[in-house]
Amino acid sequence: MAAIPSNVPVAHAAAPGDDENLFTFWPRHNAAIYKALADKYTHIETPASGDGAASGDGSMGEPEVVTPDDKRRAEWREEHSATTDPLESSMILNLGPQHPATHGALRVVVQLDGETIERCLLDVGYLHRGIEKLAEVKTYQEFMPYTDRMDYMSPYSNNVAWCLAVEKLCGIEAPERAQWLRTIGCELARISSHLLWAGTMVMDAGALSVFLWTFKYREEIYSLFDEIAGARFTVSHSRIGGLAFDFSDTALAMIRAFCDDFERNLADWRKLLDRNRIWIDRNMGVGVVSYEDAIAEGYTGPSLRASGVEYDVRLFEPYLVYDKLDFDIPMRTEGDSLARYFVRVEEMQQSINIIRQCLDRLPSGPVRVDNAKAAYPSKDEVYYSMEGMIHDFMMTDTGVAPPKGAECYHAVESPKGELGFFLASDGTGSPWRVKMNTPSYSNLQGLESMMEGAMVGDTVVLIGSIDPVIGDSDK
């Protein structure tokens, strides 16, 4: 194993006090991170085939010849490569875990050779929520508000993804109007998430005006959610079997007005950025991910489609009413940060098209399944009938109980990519096992290889270009 370079920062000492071993996690964790960085790309060499060992194809390999010069060179490399740096051009740089440019509690440890990133290691998990295990001690409906806190930039998509997975597990089908309204909410969440990404991405690149413009329209979407769900940020509007309540006429009118106004402004922003020399120079050719690498690294969402991989859950495994709508999947083949920008801004335009189609074709009818064993009763039933109150208590206390041994996986195309839930039932009102396939976690897998070989000045652009939210990657 390679030794830890001498210029690695010393880990903080334990907190002072009567018991110095009380807070010892951080020094041990920090030392482990630096050791993992130093050991990265260090391979264990197998004995030469000349010792009589059989090679992988079953034949006896050729004996390896090691000259005295080879031994001297190997000893010199082992002695000098990792422990000495006469020109002091190598250093370890920590970004995060609490830095605005890391888009949340993300820690990025990089080893630099001058301005070039030699090695990169991501350290996630600072939220310490254990959300997968938390889901296993809640009822299916109780856990739904927790999904708001995963990708908190698009809580509506998370709510719908969870409810669709539970409905698939239980064999529940929400009414048609609820499916159209859920589609509108998911596309509003997509625009909201991309607006925050666009504003912060441009700010990371050194500009501020676009950040202010995008946040203005993001605030308008929050006002829409306030009218729709009674909450601006953590909406919790979806329910197993449908929705908490219908969209009001005011909300539908506000959504139409928003679409018209936002579409005009989106075109203006594109006039500013699409051919902006500074913006293009900061992004073109930066963080290039090839078609093959995008698949191998597990990218998803706009980051995947910017590398030419035509995969979108809405198209290949349609859910809600996406198979009844006419829309395009924006694609690019360059695979760089600029391509990821173009995909996201074009997706916002497609979301407007989808919302307009939903508004024009919105059917009438209930928004929650009429089955007291599968969904909450209406408030009228709760307030004015004993049976309604009993069912409300039963849904809160136990909720839906899928058959024992049932399991399913259901995914949606969230703003950042494929968001899926695997659920396994033991026949009770709480899931036996929950596993989450979250897009930020998938995209962060490829960030290390994207950053290695890049310039340190491009670090924040590279992080911003894959749009991670750490609440979405913390398990």
Side-chain angles (χ1 to χ4, degrees):
M1 292 184 177
I4 299 175
S6 59
N7 60 350
V8 168
V10 178
H12 292 295
D18 295 332
D19 184 3
E20 293 188 352
N21 294 322
L22 184 60
F23 302 108
T24 57
F25 171 77
W26 172 252
R28 286 186 283 112
H29 176 70
N30 217 25
I33 289 293
Y34 289 135
K35 187 172 185 302
L37 184 69
D39 289 345
K40 197 172 183 182
Y41 303 123
T42 300
H43 303 286
I44 299 174
E45 296 182 1
T46 56
S49 55
D51 60 359
S55 60
D57 58 2
S59 62
M60 302 301 291
E62 294 294 328
E64 184 182 53
V65 178
V66 181
T67 65
D69 286 343
D70 292 335
K71 283 187 176 181
R72 280 197 296 275
R73 279 195 288 269
E75 289 171 357
W76 189 92
R77 281 198 298 269
E78 184 178 354
E79 181 181 356
H80 292 83
S81 61
T83 57
T84 60
D85 182 15
L87 299 179
E88 296 183 347
S89 59
S90 178
M91 66 174 290
I92 304 295
L93 177 66
N94 275 280
L95 274 163
Q98 303 291 344
H99 188 282
T102 58
H103 293 217
L106 170 67
R107 182 188 180 195
V108 182
V109 186
V110 293
Q111 178 179 316
L112 301 176
D113 179 8
E115 293 285 325
T116 305
I117 299 173
E118 281 189 329
R119 301 180 183 185
C120 172
L121 202 67
L122 301 185
D123 186 15
V124 298
Y126 282 87
L127 297 181
H128 303 297
R129 295 185 305 187
I131 194 167
E132 288 182 339
K133 300 307 292 182
L134 189 62
E136 295 169 6
V137 296
K138 301 289 181 185
T139 68
Y140 291 94
Q141 184 58 56
E142 274 182 339
F143 183 69
M144 200 277 296
Y146 287 78
T147 62
D148 287 324
R149 281 77 178 173
M150 294 171 58
D151 179 1
Y152 36 80
M153 299 299 103
S154 57
Y156 206 103
S157 294
N158 303 346
N159 296 165
V160 171
W162 174 258
C163 289
L164 287 174
V166 177
E167 289 167 5
K168 184 177 182 179
L169 188 69
C170 301
I172 299 171
E173 185 174 358
E176 187 178 5
R177 181 177 174 84
Q179 306 286 18
W180 286 83
L181 293 177
R182 282 175 171 181
T183 306
I184 295 174
C186 287
E187 293 307 315
L188 286 173
R190 191 181 314 280
I191 296 173
S192 173
S193 177
H194 285 353
L195 283 177
L196 183 134
W197 166 82
T200 53
M201 177 69 178
V202 176
M203 191 170 64
D204 287 345
L208 187 61
S209 298
V210 177
F211 172 80
L212 300 174
W213 299 338
T214 56
F215 266 56
K216 172 183 179 296
Y217 283 91
R218 189 163 166 267
E219 281 297 312
E220 291 193 9
I221 292 180
Y222 282 172
S223 297
L224 289 176
F225 283 132
D226 195 11
E227 178 63 28
I228 292 170
R232 294 171 62 82
F233 196 63
T234 50
V235 291
S236 295
H237 184 241
S238 196
R239 293 287 184 274
I240 297 168
L243 300 174
F245 32 79
D246 202 346
F247 284 18
S248 66
D249 292 338
T250 304
L252 295 174
M254 289 172 66
I255 294 171
R256 281 191 184 277
F258 171 82
C259 290
D260 295 339
D261 190 31
F262 177 72
E263 191 172 35
R264 287 192 297 271
N265 282 274
L266 180 61
D268 290 341
W269 301 344
R270 297 199 61 175
K271 287 179 184 175
L272 175 67
L273 291 175
D274 284 6
R275 301 178 63 185
N276 186 299
R277 188 71 262 165
I278 299 174
W279 175 247
I280 291 174
D281 286 348
R282 285 294 272 129
N283 290 278
M284 181 179 283
V286 175
V288 176
V289 180
S290 67
Y291 180 96
E292 293 77 13
D293 288 345
I295 296 174
E297 298 279 1
Y299 282 97
T300 184
S303 299
L304 178 68
R305 293 187 287 275
S307 295
V309 183
E310 191 178 4
Y311 180 76
D312 189 306
V313 182
R314 295 175 295 176
L315 183 66
F316 286 91
E317 298 178 56
Y319 56 96
L320 297 178
V321 295
Y322 285 110
D323 56 343
K324 303 174 183 175
L325 300 171
D326 181 22
F327 64 98
D328 297 325
I329 303 297
M331 292 284 301
R332 293 279 165 165
T333 57
E334 297 86 351
D336 57 2
S337 294
L338 191 63
R340 293 187 275 276
Y341 156 75
F342 280 120
V343 168
R344 288 193 176 94
V345 294
E346 289 165 9
E347 282 191 355
M348 285 193 279
Q349 177 61 59
Q350 291 300 318
S351 293
I352 292 294
N353 298 339
I354 291 172
I355 292 171
R356 283 191 174 130
Q357 292 179 59
C358 291
L359 291 173
D360 294 338
R361 300 164 59 184
L362 187 63
S364 59
V367 296
R368 193 167 50 248
V369 63
D370 185 19
N371 181 351
K373 302 296 183 185
Y376 271 103
S378 69
K379 289 302 178 187
D380 286 342
E381 293 176 276
V382 176
Y383 295 152
Y384 301 111
S385 75
M386 182 56 70
E387 290 79 7
M389 178 175 288
I390 292 171
H391 283 305
D392 191 76
F393 275 120
M394 291 297 292
M395 286 300 296
T396 301
D397 188 48
T398 304
V400 294
K404 184 177 181 180
E407 60 182 41
C408 79
Y409 174 79
H410 191 278
V412 303
E413 186 68 30
S414 80
K416 294 174 177 58
E418 179 175 338
L419 168 63
F421 291 96
F422 169 79
L423 303 175
S425 170
D426 58 359
T428 67
S430 300
W432 181 66
R433 284 291 179 270
V434 175
K435 292 296 177 185
M436 303 171 183
N437 178 20
T438 54
S440 291
Y441 192 82
S442 300
N443 291 330
L444 281 173
Q445 291 179 132
L447 183 60
E448 288 186 2
S449 58
M450 184 193 292
M451 291 183 69
E452 290 175 350
M455 305 297 287
V456 66
D458 293 328
T459 302
V460 293
V461 172
L462 293 173
I463 297 173
S465 73
I466 64 167
D467 192 21
V469 164
I470 306 308
D472 196 37
S473 62
D474 184 271
K475 303 296 180 72

